Amino acid sequence: MTFLPSGSGALVFIAFEGQDADASEAASSLVKDLIESWRLGDSEILDTDGFYEFRFSEPEIVRDETGRATIAWPGIEVHRGQHLGTPVTVIQGHEPGLKWREFLSLILSEVTAEDCVVLLGGLHAEVPHTRPLPVVANTEDAVLAADLKIDVNGYAGPIGILGLLGVECDRRGLRAINLWVGVPDYLTDSPSPKAELALASAVEKYTGLEIDIPILEEESRAWELGADELVALNPHLVELLKGLEQLNDSTELPEASGDAIAAEFERYLRKRGRER
């Protein structure tokens, strides 16, 4: 079974830029590439004034080819179109800092009862860059979990905006799944094409829709080579990587499966809750 809407519904992808949901820009990079690759030309900018603390979501100066400056304010964009006959909506932008309840209502006002929602995220975890990066798939909907052969989300504790959206979708009777990719926590300073590629593969697996972004394969290999060079310069990282590879390659340990990323996610969220 694939996760696709029936009738007049759309497949809705939601991802946010920010430290809580977008490790190494895996999720935000993927949805931006989907907008371009699938030519989702029907777009609008939502009215998000009041949802951001500019100390954390800073406006940016953008210059055109003549050097003329404009200001890019943090916000949310909605892009619509079709891919292979399936209506597609992408909701992407900056995660909010304020008024989360109102923000949830604003985002879900763009979703109809016939839609299927895919929430995309990335988190830093104890995984080696030399192995396929794992993706956790789960949902709040037990029936949907059984149909797709994914886990029912059993997490309880502090949560970010994507987690809240998953719960609110379920409360409103909307079909939604969560896809989270694990990114090596010792490589935190740069975007990870390999993580984006892992998320793209998971989207293909659960929706059946082809994602054709050829440059991702090349960029993923280049990223892994760069990570190899970085690790080789640091004896501590060399030993850390060996240990992570051994855990990953052991089929008898939970670290060899998505369970490790799910556990890492829960540990991260609880730590985040204590730090607030």
Side-chain angles (χ1 to χ4, degrees), residues 193-194 197 214 216-226 228:
K194 187 170 183 176
L197 184 61
L216 263 185
E217 294 277 359
E218 180 182 344
E219 289 180 342
S220 178
R221 288 191 293 270
W223 177 86
E224 189 167 339
L225 288 174
D228 288 343

Side-chain angles (χ1 to χ4, degrees), residues 120-201:
L120 298 168
L123 71 150
H124 289 116
E126 295 178 352
V127 295
H129 75 274
T130 52
R131 302 293 188 268
L133 298 182
V135 176
V136 168
N138 61 34
T139 178
E140 300 290 334
D141 184 337
V143 174
L144 183 57
D147 289 341
L148 296 177
K149 296 181 173 55
I150 61 177
D151 292 332
V152 176
N153 187 10
Y155 172 75
I159 198 69
I161 193 66
L162 278 180
L164 291 175
L165 275 169
V167 172
E168 189 64 13
C169 282
D170 186 62
R171 191 183 74 81
R172 297 187 183 200
L174 301 172
R175 289 158 51 86
I177 63 172
N178 310 295
L179 298 178
W180 285 84
V181 63
V183 186
D185 57 6
Y186 54 90
L187 298 171
T188 60
D189 296 332
S190 64
S192 173
K194 187 170 183 176
E196 181 186 349
L197 184 61
L199 264 186
S201 297

Side-chain angles (χ1 to χ4, degrees), residues 5-6 8-10 108-117 169 172-175:
S6 58
S8 60
L108 292 180
S109 69
E110 301 294 323
V111 180
T112 74
E114 292 78 27
D115 294 342
C116 290
V117 180
C169 282
R172 297 187 183 200
L174 301 172
R175 289 158 51 86

Side-chain angles (χ1 to χ4, degrees), residues 3-273:
F3 187 61
L4 286 174
S6 58
S8 60
L11 186 61
V12 181
F13 296 95
I14 302 178
F16 300 113
E17 300 174 37
Q19 63 179 356
D20 287 340
D22 193 29
S24 294
E25 303 178 17
S28 62
S29 294
L30 176 58
V31 292
K32 290 174 183 177
D33 282 342
L34 291 183
I35 291 167
E36 180 178 357
S37 177
W38 292 353
R39 299 180 180 179
L40 307 180
D42 182 10
S43 63
E44 65 176 306
I45 299 176
L46 300 185
D47 182 2
T48 53
D49 283 352
F51 291 117
Y52 297 103
E53 292 182 273
F54 294 136
R55 293 174 299 167
F56 305 107
S57 299
E58 297 176 340
E60 296 181 1
I61 292 177
V62 179
R63 297 190 183 276
D64 62 20
E65 61 276 5
T66 69
R68 182 178 175 80
T70 57
I71 298 173
W73 296 93
I76 298 296
E77 297 178 358
V78 181
H79 299 261
R80 293 184 173 88
Q82 287 199 359
H83 179 60
L84 300 177
T86 298
V88 175
T89 298
V90 171
I91 302 173
Q92 66 92 19
H94 296 78
E95 61 180 340
L98 301 167
K99 301 180 181 179
W100 280 21
R101 287 182 180 143
E102 292 180 28
F103 186 84
L104 289 174
S105 294
L106 175 68
I107 296 301
L108 292 180
S109 69
E110 301 294 323
V111 180
T112 74
E114 292 78 27
D115 294 342
C116 290
V117 180
V118 180
L119 301 167
L120 298 168
L123 71 150
H124 289 116
E126 295 178 352
V127 295
H129 75 274
T130 52
R131 302 293 188 268
L133 298 182
V135 176
V136 168
N138 61 34
T139 178
E140 300 290 334
D141 184 337
V143 174
L144 183 57
D147 289 341
L148 296 177
K149 296 181 173 55
I150 61 177
D151 292 332
V152 176
N153 187 10
Y155 172 75
I159 198 69
I161 193 66
L162 278 180
L164 291 175
L165 275 169
V167 172
E168 189 64 13
C169 282
D170 186 62
R171 191 183 74 81
R172 297 187 183 200
L174 301 172
R175 289 158 51 86
I177 63 172
N178 310 295
L179 298 178
W180 285 84
V181 63
V183 186
D185 57 6
Y186 54 90
L187 298 171
T188 60
D189 296 332
S190 64
S192 173
K194 187 170 183 176
E196 181 186 349
L197 184 61
L199 264 186
S201 297
V203 169
E204 288 186 326
K205 174 181 178 181
Y206 291 108
T207 69
L209 291 184
E210 180 184 0
I211 298 177
D212 185 17
I213 310 174
I215 196 172
L216 263 185
E217 294 277 359
E218 180 182 344
E219 289 180 342
S220 178
R221 288 191 293 270
W223 177 86
E224 189 167 339
L225 288 174
D228 288 343
E229 294 175 1
L230 180 65
V231 169
L233 295 174
N234 187 324
H236 171 70
L237 290 182
V238 171
E239 291 304 312
L240 174 65
L241 177 59
K242 287 181 180 178
L244 292 176
E245 288 175 335
Q246 290 172 357
L247 289 175
N248 184 91
D249 296 342
S250 173
T251 57
E252 296 180 358
L253 292 175
E255 286 86 351
S257 71
D259 292 346
I261 306 306
E264 186 72 26
F265 186 35
E266 294 189 11
R267 185 162 56 249
Y268 160 75
L269 290 171
R270 292 196 173 97
K271 177 182 177 182
R272 176 177 174 271

